[in-house]
Amino acid sequence: MPPSTVHQYQLDNGLKIVVKVDRRAPVVVSQIWYKIGSSYEPSGATGISHVLEHMMFQGTDKVPGSEFSRIIADNGGKENAFTGRDYTSYFQQLERSRLEIAFELEADRMRNLRLQADDFKREREVVIEERRLRTDDKPTALTYEQFMATAFNNNPYGQPIIGWMSDLEQLTLDDLQQWYQRWYAPNNATLVVAGDVEPEAVFALAKRHFGNLPPSQLTAVKQRQEPPQYGERRLTVRAAAKVPLVLMGYQVPVLRTSDAPWKSYALELLAYVLDGGDSARLSRDLVRGEALAASAGAGYDLYARHDSLFLLEGVPVDGVTPAKIEQALKRQVAELQQQLVKPEELERIKTQLIASKVYEQDSLFYQAMQIGMLETVGLNWQLADSYIEQLQALTPQQLQQVAQEYLIDSRLTVAWLLPEQES
């Protein structure tokens, strides 16, 4: 891929600004990324970052109520937000000449949010209901939440982004006020702009609207290291599910925590060997070949702040037990450990990956998101440019080495979701 046309700046108050020029359409995406998410939250206050994201749409003295969203809509734009384990991000997509509108609104609510008791009470109830609908009443999500909590005893990725119900119920407006004042500051944020823009003009606009905002006194959050795992962990969730589900996760390093970066890229490629489309192994062998699974998948988080999981999952077809699916998934892992991936298979997967990365560049939103995510988890945006190169350099021997080192029982957690009537 061609080198990125990316420009980076920083204001005196600490706000980092990254601008990626893409002139294929007269539009612009603006994203503000805060280094705050569920992995920063202390026990007893899980979900606070997500509740605060809701409150960010309740207005300031200057832009009260839902005026923020109305102004963006009146200018033909769209906007929203999302909270993750390591970040909270707000975005707008507009015609290029209207970028200043987004800057003015975001700068205002970065430091001037109006947190009121009635709004808080209502939005906390909205989030509690969201949790009921999307987790408590959804067996697959409930199983995943319990699975992560079992896999990690101290790593904060064991706590849910939406928060535990008991924590949400005891959350106070004062908790939220302190969280907002501490983390929503220019020196804890990255502003990413992608589109048909002039970088120096974007910097000047950012300086005009964000430059006078005061920074926060930030203190580093103590790292919560996962203690050694001494054997396989297992759990069974019984819920009103229609079909069973098997989840398997091996504790693995991510790019930020790995002792050798190539190992993380090798884990990324292993996930594609197993689940890189219909021709990949899980679909070929478990779904079409042995016809054991209605669906099967694998995944890995390359970009994260803490160690994560190499995930495998499978939904059995009628008449196939979860035990059989688990055995089949473990056979796939054993094959990766015992046999080298054939060069022609590896080349096909690399080609597919290159194609998918090229197509991703068609999305301004994705381009900005990749920059924001890399910066916010403590990496740097330049890594995106070397992604394909890193994968291209991997050998079958390196894939086998990481499979042997990390995909082992002493790193494994297994969860079964069973429909309530099954024993």
Side-chain angles (χ1 to χ4, degrees), residues 31 33 87 190 192 367-377 381:
Q31 299 176 350
W33 290 72
Y87 47 76
T190 300
V192 184
Q367 293 182 55
M369 184 171 175
Q370 190 170 49
I371 291 170
M373 185 183 301
L374 283 165
E375 285 291 327
T376 307
V377 303
W381 56 262

Side-chain angles (χ1 to χ4, degrees), residues 362-404:
D362 289 339
S363 166
L364 279 182
F365 185 88
Y366 178 81
Q367 293 182 55
M369 184 171 175
Q370 190 170 49
I371 291 170
M373 185 183 301
L374 283 165
E375 285 291 327
T376 307
V377 303
L379 298 167
N380 64 66
W381 56 262
Q382 290 90 342
L383 279 174
D385 290 336
S386 63
Y387 177 85
I388 294 298
E389 182 183 343
Q390 295 286 345
L391 295 184
Q392 285 281 34
L394 292 168
T395 66
Q397 288 77 14
Q398 288 176 307
L399 267 60
Q400 184 181 49
Q401 183 179 330
V402 294
Q404 292 172 345

Side-chain angles (χ1 to χ4, degrees), residues 88-221:
T88 306
S89 180
Y90 302 82
F91 65 86
Q92 298 82 39
Q93 182 168 335
L94 292 153
E95 188 274 330
R96 62 186 175 188
S97 69
R98 304 180 187 223
L99 177 61
E100 186 168 11
I101 295 168
F103 281 11
E104 184 176 2
L105 292 169
E106 283 294 5
D108 180 40
R109 70 176 175 180
M110 178 183 284
R111 277 315 215 180
N112 302 311
L113 185 63
R114 191 170 63 183
L115 290 164
Q116 300 191 106
D118 288 348
D119 292 337
F120 167 68
K121 187 177 179 181
R122 183 183 64 250
E123 289 305 317
R124 186 180 62 178
E125 287 305 311
V126 168
V127 173
I128 285 173
E129 187 60 22
E130 182 181 338
R131 189 197 147 83
R132 286 196 186 101
L133 287 172
R134 296 186 179 179
T135 303
D136 298 337
D137 294 340
K138 194 172 181 181
T140 53
L142 183 65
T143 303
Y144 182 77
E145 182 180 89
Q146 294 294 312
F147 167 71
M148 293 297 288
T150 302
F152 293 123
N153 292 334
N154 194 44
N155 183 324
Y157 289 170
Q159 56 198 33
I161 293 170
I162 199 166
W164 298 113
M165 185 65 89
S166 59
D167 290 352
L168 293 172
E169 289 171 342
Q170 67 178 354
L171 199 61
T172 68
L173 184 61
D174 186 57
D175 294 333
L176 218 61
Q177 185 73 53
Q178 292 182 37
W179 201 251
Y180 171 70
Q181 289 175 342
R182 180 180 179 186
W183 297 112
Y184 277 61
N187 54 328
N188 194 47
T190 300
L191 175 65
V192 184
V193 174
D196 187 7
V197 293
E198 295 295 336
E200 288 298 326
V202 172
F203 174 61
L205 270 183
K207 190 173 182 180
R208 181 187 309 164
H209 292 286
F210 293 91
N212 292 327
L213 299 178
S216 281
Q217 291 291 327
L218 297 174
T219 53
V221 176

